[in-house]
Amino acid sequence: MSRDLPENLRLLCSYHSSIAEVCRRLAVNRSQFNRYLNGQTQPSLRLMRKMCDFFGVEEAELLMPHGQFKELVRLRPKAGGVLIEKNLLISRCERVLQASLPKLDSYAGTYFTYYNSMSNPGKILKGLTRIYRTPFSMNLKTLEVVGRRGRGGFTCKYEGGCFLLGDRLFITAMEMLTGNEAIQIILYPSYTNRIRYLSGIMSGVSAHATRPPSATQIAMQFLGTNVDLRKSLATCGLFDAGDAQVPADIQLMIAGSLSAGTHLLAASPS
């Protein structure tokens, strides 16, 4: 039995007027329920499902370490003394994120990101990305600076998270300054102990007035974990294809075309 289950159950009960009320609504004997709260015995599978439905949690969540579960419950909306079931996508993603964390540590650090600009065809956009661990997820922040503000330039700031699923690295992030764009990146994982490049596909929308949905190849160059961010950001911007400031191997990674005989934009492992 999970040693954290009794504490998690007690926490959920604290959102109700009394344990007696919880037992009544669950149709469970009070003395039997006390054994669950004291860790003397474990609920049957049928009762576990019933309690999860009542409290609005998943069984995997109910068995989480108490510290993580407490934070999960704190961030979840509540109404009428009973937890509201979360958005299905968020619920699934949280479980995937938790399962991914041990495998994601090697990806933490700072990267240059390169991709074909969706708003400036023929140009390559170079940005700066930091992937970092928190107790509950692997987060990401990206800055893209094109030109100078006030002189026709603009800055994009993305924040999001990473997870591994089916041997692929997924990144989902939102543009934070305008709040009108989300991007999805799917990367091949690193097949070596020392990460040098990650490559894959990015989808989003162009900054043009019509905001057409777009997709392009993307490459990420690992810089390390102790990087001068200001100095690195100063090298970012918009470059012509073939510019010497974009490494030749990066240009090869993002110079792909539609697969022959298909309508698919595909990426090769770095």
Side-chain angles (χ1 to χ4, degrees):
M1 181 177 72
S2 168
R3 63 181 182 182
D4 296 284
L5 177 61
E7 284 190 276
N8 293 344
L9 281 177
R10 286 196 293 271
L11 175 63
L12 292 173
C13 288
S14 70
Y15 288 96
H16 295 263
S17 58
S18 67
I19 294 177
E21 184 226 354
V22 172
C23 292
R24 178 180 59 80
R25 297 182 64 176
L26 285 172
V28 177
N29 180 276
R30 171 64 185 272
S31 60
Q32 181 66 30
F33 194 75
N34 282 342
R35 294 190 184 97
Y36 306 145
L37 296 178
N38 294 330
Q40 296 174 320
T41 186
Q42 184 169 345
S44 66
L45 180 59
R46 179 175 175 276
L47 182 56
M48 280 285 285
R49 290 172 178 167
K50 189 175 182 180
M51 288 192 299
C52 288
D53 290 341
F54 173 72
F55 289 119
V57 298
E58 301 286 344
E59 183 176 345
E61 294 172 340
L62 193 54
L63 299 175
M64 287 171 61
H66 183 64
Q68 295 181 18
F69 183 75
K70 185 177 181 180
E71 181 68 9
L72 182 70
V73 170
R74 184 183 70 81
L75 296 175
R76 184 173 295 188
K78 308 169 186 71
V82 180
L83 297 175
I84 299 174
E85 183 178 357
K86 295 186 300 180
N87 176 283
L88 184 60
L89 177 61
I90 296 174
S91 178
R92 295 293 182 268
C93 283
E94 281 186 348
R95 292 202 294 274
V96 172
L97 283 170
Q98 291 299 318
S100 295
L101 283 180
K103 306 172 187 176
L104 285 171
D105 284 332
S106 61
Y107 295 95
T110 303
Y111 298 77
F112 282 138
T113 56
Y114 302 85
Y115 62 89
N116 300 296
S117 174
M118 300 177 188
S119 304
N120 299 272
K123 300 283 189 178
I124 296 173
L125 189 56
K126 176 183 178 182
L128 189 67
T129 293
R130 185 169 71 93
I131 296 177
Y132 60 98
R133 174 79 178 263
T134 74
F136 306 103
S137 65
M138 186 66 80
N139 289 353
L140 167 141
K141 290 184 179 180
T142 292
L143 275 177
E144 296 172 351
V145 180
V146 181
R148 296 184 180 179
R149 275 199 171 276
R151 299 185 183 181
F154 62 91
T155 299
C156 292
K157 179 182 179 182
Y158 295 91
E159 293 187 10
C162 315
F163 59 92
L164 279 168
L165 189 63
D167 194 32
R168 293 293 179 265
L169 179 60
F170 290 79
I171 296 173
T172 301
M174 293 190 67
E175 207 289 312
M176 305 303 293
L177 300 180
T178 61
N180 64 1
E181 181 191 359
I183 59 172
Q184 174 73 58
I185 301 172
I186 305 176
L187 300 166
Y188 287 99
S190 174
Y191 295 106
T192 62
N193 292 330
R194 182 176 179 271
I195 297 174
R196 188 181 180 195
Y197 296 121
L198 300 173
S199 62
I201 298 290
M202 183 181 80
S203 62
V205 298
S206 167
H208 290 308
T210 55
R211 291 170 51 77
S214 305
T216 183
Q217 291 182 305
I218 184 172
M220 298 177 63
Q221 179 185 9
F222 184 69
L223 302 179
T225 55
N226 187 19
V227 175
D228 186 327
L229 298 180
R230 186 181 296 273
K231 184 177 179 180
S232 299
L233 188 60
T235 69
C236 295
L238 201 61
F239 300 92
D240 292 323
D243 193 305
Q245 295 184 73
V246 180
D249 42 5
I250 290 288
Q251 298 207 35
L252 287 174
M253 290 180 200
I254 63 175
S257 58
L258 296 179
S259 300
T262 76
H263 299 285
L264 300 177
L265 179 65
S268 300
S270 56

